Structures are given as structure tokens and as C-alpha cells.
Amino acid sequence: MVARGIEDKGWRYAVQAFQQVKAALPARALRLVLVGGSPYLKTLADEYATDPDIIFTGQVSNPDFYVAGFDVGLLPTYFRAEALPLAIIEYMVSGKPSIATRVGGIPELLEPSAGHTGQLVDIEAETYTPKLRMLTEAMVRYCTEPVLYAAHAAHCRQASQEFSMAACAEHYEQAFSAALHSTVNSAT
């Protein structure tokens, strides 16, 4: 997981789901790598310091190094202002399927027209937090369903092209042109 080190990005939920996955699949060698730095993450790292399979990197200048070693990207965010998380785009560019919450623009990233690039986790209506059971089940699915994992991974690089700098610049240019055209037409 790569994200800003704020609680609402779902760090604790990632840890809790990971611990449940380890308990469900004890024969698997699993690691959770959490890339980010903040006082909140330092506190969380201290809390889980006895688990050698949970690795807190702290803040790093090049998270791509860690993403390259991931099998799956996580973002169980419940940040209410979530828009289009760059971490998921980075996971896609690296060919890594993601497990993320159904928040902001995340569904468009994980369910693009090119085919699914990950699994979506619902948000609890009452608490506006990730459904932990669903997060855990999604993680287990990638560990136990290689065909699903391979299909989602195969779609990642193709889908990431929709979010390249060139594609984004073209979308911005189209939006600005439409806005300018609308403004000119309404002024006349």
C-alpha cells in the first residue's frame, strides 16, 4: 500500500485484513508492505512491531521501487474527498491489480472499459469505513484464484494508458475548449 499517511486512507483496515488473510492461509508466505510516513503511521508501526510480516517503510522518495515488488496494490480508503488516486494508477502502470474501496473515482479505475484491473470493496453505510470482511475476502481471492489475478493484472497496463500524461492533457484540452466555447456562445 502506498498513500499519504493519514488515518482515512485505511491503513489500519489493510493491517487487520492482512492479519485475517494470514490466519486463513497459514501455509502462504505473505507480507504487507506499507509505504508512507506520518506520526499516525509511526504509531501504527509501533502497535504492530511484533509482526515481522508487516513492513512499514516510512516516507520514501521513490515508492515505485516498492510497487515493483508488490503482487497487489491496496487502497482501502475512506477519505471523503478521494478523487482519482495516483497510487492506483501507479499500480496499474506496474501491472499490479488493486483492491480498493468504492470511493471517489476508484470504480472508474478498477472497472474501466478495457476490463477489470482490481476488486472493489464497499463502504459501511453507518460508519463510512471499509467493509473489513469484504477487504479480507478480496485479498484471499487474489491468493487463491490465480486465473482472476492474471486476468486483472493483464488489463492493468492497457487500462493505465487512459491515464497517461498525453491522455490526461488531451482530456484537459477538450474540457477547456468546451468551457471556452460555452463561455463565448453565452456572451453573444
Side-chain angles (χ1 to χ4, degrees):
M1 178 172 167
V2 177
R4 283 187 300 136
I6 61 172
E7 183 176 356
D8 293 2
K9 289 293 184 169
W11 300 94
R12 182 174 300 278
Y13 290 90
V15 170
Q16 291 172 346
F18 174 74
Q19 289 180 319
Q20 290 179 15
V21 172
K22 275 186 20 176
L25 303 171
R28 299 273 181 135
L30 302 171
R31 304 286 181 282
L32 177 64
V33 179
L34 302 166
V35 181
S38 71
Y40 168 74
L41 287 176
K42 173 69 173 114
T43 301
L44 201 61
D46 291 345
E47 186 177 334
Y48 292 100
T50 60
D51 189 334
D53 296 326
I54 301 175
I55 301 154
F56 288 85
T57 68
Q59 188 169 350
V60 299
S61 60
N62 184 9
D64 293 344
F65 170 81
Y66 291 97
V67 172
F70 290 179
D71 291 312
V72 175
L74 292 175
L75 191 62
T77 181
Y78 53 102
F79 181 58
R80 290 188 184 268
E82 196 71 69
L84 199 65
L86 293 178
I88 293 179
I89 295 171
E90 291 294 331
Y91 300 152
M92 289 167 47
V93 167
S94 296
K96 314 299 179 176
S98 301
I99 299 170
T101 44
R102 192 179 298 278
V103 173
I106 293 173
E108 287 83 2
L109 291 172
L110 297 190
E111 295 180 340
S113 58
H116 288 207
T117 63
Q119 298 179 71
L120 287 168
V121 174
D122 293 332
I123 292 287
E124 295 282 359
E126 307 80 39
T127 60
Y128 200 78
T129 56
K131 290 188 175 184
L132 184 60
R133 181 175 176 202
M134 195 173 186
L135 178 60
T136 303
E137 289 170 353
M139 292 167 80
V140 167
R141 285 183 74 197
Y142 277 151
C143 290
T144 61
E145 297 180 31
V147 172
L148 174 72
Y149 175 86
H152 289 183
H155 294 136
C156 285
R157 289 189 199 265
Q158 179 182 358
S160 72
Q161 294 306 306
E162 294 178 36
F163 304 99
S164 69
M165 285 302 240
C168 289
E170 183 179 329
H171 291 302
Y172 277 121
E173 187 176 321
Q174 290 171 356
F176 290 144
S177 292
L180 181 61
H181 181 72
S182 174
T183 302
V184 169
N185 285 342
S186 65
T188 55

